[in-house]
Amino acid sequence: METQAPAVKPLTSWFRQQPQSGRAAPFLPMSQAEMKALGWDTCDIVIVTGDAYIDHPSFGMAIIGRLLEAQGFRVGIIAQPDWHSAEPFKALGKPKLFFGVTGGNMDSMVNRYTADRRLRHDDAYTPGGEGGKRPDRCTLVYAQRCREAFKDVPVILGGIEASLRRIAHYDYWSDKVRRSMLADAKADLLLYGNAERAILEVAHRLAAGEAPRACADIRGVALFRPVPAHYTELDASDLDSAEEGAERRAGDVVIRLPSCEQVEQDREAYARASRVLHRESNPGNARPLVQRHGDRDLWLNAPPIPLTSAEMDAVYELPYARAPHPSYGNAKIPAWEMIRFSVTIMRGCFGGCSFCSITEHEGRIIQSRSEGSILREIERVRDKTAGFTGVISDIGGPTANMYRMACKDRDAEAACRRASCVYPAICPNLDTSHEQLIKLYRKAREVPGVKKVMIASGVRYDLAVHSPDYVKELVSHHVGGYLKIAPEHTERGPLEMMRKPGIASYHRFKQMFDAAAARAGKQYFLIPYFIAAHPGTTDEDMMNLALWLKRNRYRADQVQTFLPSPMATSTAMHHTAINPMRAVRRGASEPVVVIKGLRQRRLHKAFLRYHDPDNWPVLREALKAMGRSDLIGGRPDQLVPALQPPGTGKAAATPRPVRPGKGAPRFTTKGVRPRR
């Protein structure tokens, strides 16, 4: 089922810039020597990326590079350059059209720091997994170095780091609101979301002699420009008004968000801006947004139109080398090792989880490849990927089981403003059939030379429970001992703030999973993932989750503390202590419990690892402060033992310093309801 959307120029219908002699480059060049071997004296476009160059469709720089190459543009790659001077950015000479700058497949701050703001010492996207090969906010730094290298060459930002920082945004690592990355980078354009359509149109227009500012009408583009006189402005910046810019008007309309200066100083203004931006995210009905930055207006066009299946096929069947660039030699790149035998079958996610940035980047409309294209890629993995042993490690995407799912009514989809198609309940207009996905799984495992097809992408279990056949197929043929799923919590408060289904849905899926495993004669296990310290979570919620884990005999080895990534709805909650999923108005906004202090965040994490002796001292202290000393002891229904084994709990038991003239610091808990 294709998506109803405004008319748009197909990706494959552009007139080629120049005849392409011979076949595609074995790899896009990273050196002057490689350019010379291709017969090039210059590049039209140079892509600068924070990741190692891996020529595979799981990596954004490869997709964009090969797509531009297919249009006749000469594209070079500068990967992970030394950013301390502009010289490495001159390696391929002066590009004729523009520099394209991306941070890579991850936000550089998420890549480099833990949820506790601790520095990571490794980087999965770097040869040898070596850390420190990119600067903080690398898109910003690279753009500035490109400008220093060649002042008159346009600089265009893209990738997830720029996409999620396209407006004024809360930055968790500096604990402040920062300007749009476009402003700080002093770039010409910022392309957000999956940018295939936008990058082709920008490239062709610049090749035709247009200036970057002339690209103001392209979807998915952000730039600084005044509001045209013929546009009607709807003001969403007045917090004393209940009007949030939602009014529908005929003609050209733009919605004015609270300014950068407003959202820096006023948390309710920040929550309002977040609410309005997320509401204007459906390509079928979104209007442009404008946000004042100083004396300039930042203009954001409506989101890009999703790709059709034919266009998705064309993108994923470009002539990728399907390997890291030869300059890396035998060095292992962990991200490549993880995906080298996997196949992407779809994009987007309609789950709308408030802590996740997939929707903000890829959108909630599912873009699926055709069955034939997927099977052909499996054959290419079999035939061309060194080390293939017959196991496809994953066929999926942001989720495992949204393939081919779409709204049954195209008109309803185009008009819809829901943030999630599955919360608080599955929309009756959503086609949740797993039939086509089951057929794909069966055909994939029948490809000659393929022994097993694994599913490593996360399964959306609240959808899977509506398809016993899918659960049977999944368990019988595509699970290798463990299946990871993400209920995220057990308690209603945090689940509501996350837009996640209640734990009853998880229990139903577990029953179906266990029954299917028993029928297949398999001993498989579900591994549930949970988040600590998410907005809306009290200490009591975490205590109840820990009790649930103990009752169900789960001992989590790896736990996740909420990390406020740019632009996510949960991040707006974390920063403002306001719920932007409900109306935001001065003095009438809904408050949210937030967990910000490092000690409190570590307590929530400790509840997830209630079984770790190192956590017992802090848990005992917390339980006493909560009036739950009854959970301290050795009975099965108690959470932590009363006595600490010798040699354990050293870090947690270290006495905290007492300031002169003060008593011992009092441990406080967050949002605990008194027992009755």
Side-chain angles (χ1 to χ4, degrees):
M1 180 185 297
E2 297 297 355
T3 299
Q4 179 72 23
V8 66
K9 188 179 180 73
L11 282 184
T12 53
S13 67
W14 286 95
F15 181 75
R16 294 178 57 82
Q17 283 297 302
Q18 57 190 23
Q20 189 174 26
S21 57
R23 54 182 182 168
F27 284 86
L28 300 176
M30 289 181 64
S31 67
Q32 292 277 356
E34 290 173 84
M35 289 170 58
K36 185 176 179 180
L38 294 169
W40 301 1
D41 57 355
T42 188
C43 290
D44 297 313
I45 298 157
V46 172
I47 296 175
V48 182
T49 175
D51 292 342
Y53 171 34
I54 301 173
D55 199 54
H56 185 279
S58 289
F59 298 87
M61 96 290 281
I63 287 180
I64 295 301
R66 288 297 187 181
L67 185 64
L68 289 166
E69 179 195 48
Q71 290 292 311
F73 295 104
R74 295 179 175 183
V75 184
I77 300 280
I78 297 177
Q80 297 188 317
D82 182 349
W83 66 91
H84 294 95
S85 78
E87 288 305 310
F89 296 79
K90 301 177 182 177
L92 302 182
K94 182 178 179 179
K96 287 184 176 179
L97 297 181
F98 63 86
F99 278 108
V101 179
T102 172
N105 271 22
M106 287 181 67
D107 183 283
S108 62
M109 301 301 286
V110 176
N111 177 281
R112 200 167 184 217
Y113 295 92
T114 70
D116 290 337
R117 298 190 181 99
R118 290 180 174 175
L119 183 68
R120 301 183 195 273
H121 298 290
D122 58 351
D123 184 341
Y125 293 89
T126 300
E130 183 181 357
K133 288 296 183 179
R134 71 184 91 199
D136 289 358
R137 304 176 185 86
C138 64
T139 300
L140 170 61
V141 178
Y142 292 161
Q144 293 171 341
R145 291 291 181 264
C146 288
R147 189 70 82 195
E148 292 172 21
F150 301 105
K151 293 183 179 180
D152 56 340
V153 175
V155 176
I156 298 173
L157 310 183
I160 193 165
E161 180 166 83
S163 183
L164 299 183
R165 297 172 182 269
R166 57 188 182 262
I167 66 169
H169 56 280
Y170 172 70
D171 181 83
Y172 170 65
W173 299 271
S174 58
D175 192 25
K176 69 179 184 180
V177 174
R178 296 178 65 96
R179 300 190 300 171
S180 165
M181 183 165 275
L182 183 64
D184 287 338
K186 298 180 174 60
D188 295 274
L189 299 174
L190 184 155
L191 310 187
Y192 71 87
N194 294 128
E196 288 93 348
R197 293 196 193 283
I199 196 67
L200 285 191
E201 188 160 357
V202 168
H204 280 285
R205 286 200 190 182
L206 267 57
E210 293 187 33
R213 64 178 176 275
C215 298
D217 59 328
I218 301 174
R219 279 176 168 264
V221 166
L223 75 165
F224 283 99
R225 73 156 185 174
V227 175
H230 67 280
Y231 267 80
T232 300
E233 280 195 34
L234 297 182
D235 186 9
S237 64
D238 182 4
L239 272 70
D240 290 316
S241 169
E243 174 56 47
E244 296 178 318
E247 180 186 353
R248 305 307 294 180
R249 293 269 193 98
D252 291 327
V253 174
V254 62
I255 300 174
R256 181 165 291 281
L257 299 176
S259 70
C260 178
E261 291 73 22
Q262 275 183 283
V263 300
E264 284 177 346
Q265 300 165 11
D266 186 335
R267 299 195 176 198
E268 280 186 299
Y270 188 99
R272 169 73 71 86
S274 175
R275 175 173 170 78
V276 174
L277 180 137
H278 285 88
R279 188 181 61 226
E280 298 295 330
S281 62
N282 181 349
N285 59 41
R287 285 84 57 87
L289 304 173
V290 65
Q291 184 180 51
R292 196 75 171 168
H293 278 58
D295 60 354
R296 297 190 296 168
D297 276 334
L298 173 70
W299 179 279
L300 279 77
N301 280 323
I305 300 300
L307 300 185
T308 65
S309 287
E311 289 173 320
M312 285 280 285
D313 292 352
V315 166
Y316 282 86
E317 295 193 65
L318 290 165
Y320 304 99
R322 306 186 70 81
H325 190 273
S327 63
Y328 302 125
N330 295 322
K332 288 192 174 183
I333 303 174
W336 161 244
E337 298 297 325
M338 183 175 69
I339 60 89
R340 65 193 302 187
F341 306 125
S342 68
V343 176
T344 299
I345 66 174
M346 49 77 69
R347 288 180 182 171
C349 179
F350 50 68
C353 299
S354 62
F355 54 82
C356 179
S357 298
I358 291 173
T359 302
E360 285 83 349
H361 184 61
E362 295 192 358
R364 64 181 177 87
I365 295 175
I366 303 302
Q367 304 164 69
S368 299
R369 296 171 63 186
S370 72
E371 184 181 89
S373 176
I374 295 165
L375 296 176
R376 288 191 294 273
E377 183 167 355
I378 291 174
E379 292 172 347
R380 286 194 293 274
V381 172
R382 177 197 64 194
D383 299 339
K384 296 184 177 181
T385 306
F388 182 66
T389 60
V391 179
I392 298 295
S393 60
D394 184 34
I395 57 173
T399 61
N401 60 321
M402 287 186 183
Y403 179 72
R404 290 286 178 188
M405 292 187 183
C407 190
K408 300 172 187 175
D409 186 330
R410 295 185 178 186
D411 291 334
E413 179 183 73
C416 183
R417 289 180 174 273
R418 284 183 60 160
S420 170
C421 299
V422 293
Y423 184 87
I426 295 174
C427 177
N429 282 330
L430 181 65
D431 180 3
T432 61
S433 172
H434 287 67
E435 183 178 348
Q436 294 187 71
L437 183 57
I438 294 169
K439 287 169 59 179
L440 173 63
Y441 283 179
R442 290 172 178 169
K443 290 186 179 182
R445 56 187 172 86
E446 290 171 359
V447 172
V450 172
K451 299 175 184 176
K452 193 172 182 68
V453 176
M454 305 297 294
I455 304 302
S457 299
V459 173
R460 188 80 193 200
Y461 57 87
D462 52 341
L463 294 173
V465 294
H466 295 281
S467 178
D469 288 343
Y470 174 76
V471 177
K472 178 182 177 182
E473 172 71 21
L474 179 73
V475 173
S476 299
H477 301 285
H478 305 285
V479 176
Y482 299 93
L483 180 69
K484 297 176 182 178
I485 61 173
E488 308 297 6
H489 218 285
T490 58
E491 304 306 293
R492 180 177 176 181
L495 289 173
E496 285 183 351
M497 294 300 105
M498 295 175 183
R499 291 200 195 102
K500 291 288 288 187
I503 197 66
S505 182
Y506 164 80
H507 286 304
R508 184 180 173 194
F509 177 77
K510 186 178 187 305
Q511 290 173 352
M512 295 173 69
F513 180 90
D514 290 344
R519 286 193 299 269
K522 310 283 188 179
Q523 189 175 15
Y524 289 155
F525 302 94
L526 285 180
I527 305 297
Y529 273 55
F530 298 94
I531 294 179
H534 187 276
T537 308
T538 66
D539 294 349
E540 191 172 29
D541 290 329
M542 292 306 302
M543 177 192 72
N544 289 334
L545 171 53
L547 291 169
W548 183 92
L549 290 169
K550 186 168 186 181
R551 283 195 304 271
N552 288 277
R553 299 182 180 180
Y554 282 123
R555 292 192 169 192
D557 290 326
Q558 294 181 330
V559 298
Q560 180 180 0
T561 306
F562 170 64
L563 194 161
S565 59
M567 199 173 283
T569 298
S570 296
T571 301
M573 296 182 198
H574 175 86
H575 172 57
T576 66
I578 292 169
N579 179 9
M581 296 188 293
R582 300 192 184 278
V584 176
R585 187 178 178 187
R586 182 76 67 202
S589 305
E590 180 180 293
V592 178
V593 172
V594 294
I595 307 300
K596 290 192 175 184
L598 185 59
R599 180 168 171 77
Q600 213 73 31
R601 286 170 63 84
R602 288 178 176 170
L603 170 64
H604 281 212
K605 187 175 180 179
F607 271 120
L608 284 179
R609 286 184 52 79
Y610 66 91
H611 55 280
D612 185 345
D614 280 345
N615 291 329
W616 291 346
V618 71
L619 290 177
R620 276 193 292 266
E621 185 182 2
L623 290 170
K624 290 174 183 176
M626 296 166 68
R628 294 307 307 266
S629 297
D630 58 303
L631 294 177
I632 301 172
R635 297 196 312 268
D637 62 328
Q638 293 176 310
L639 198 58
V640 294
L643 300 177
Q644 190 73 23
T648 64
K650 292 180 180 178
T654 301
R656 286 169 286 155
V658 178
R659 289 179 293 171
K662 301 287 185 180
R666 183 172 178 268
F667 188 88
T668 58
T669 55
K670 195 87 170 180
V672 178
R673 294 177 289 274
R675 294 189 72 198
R676 295 183 178 179

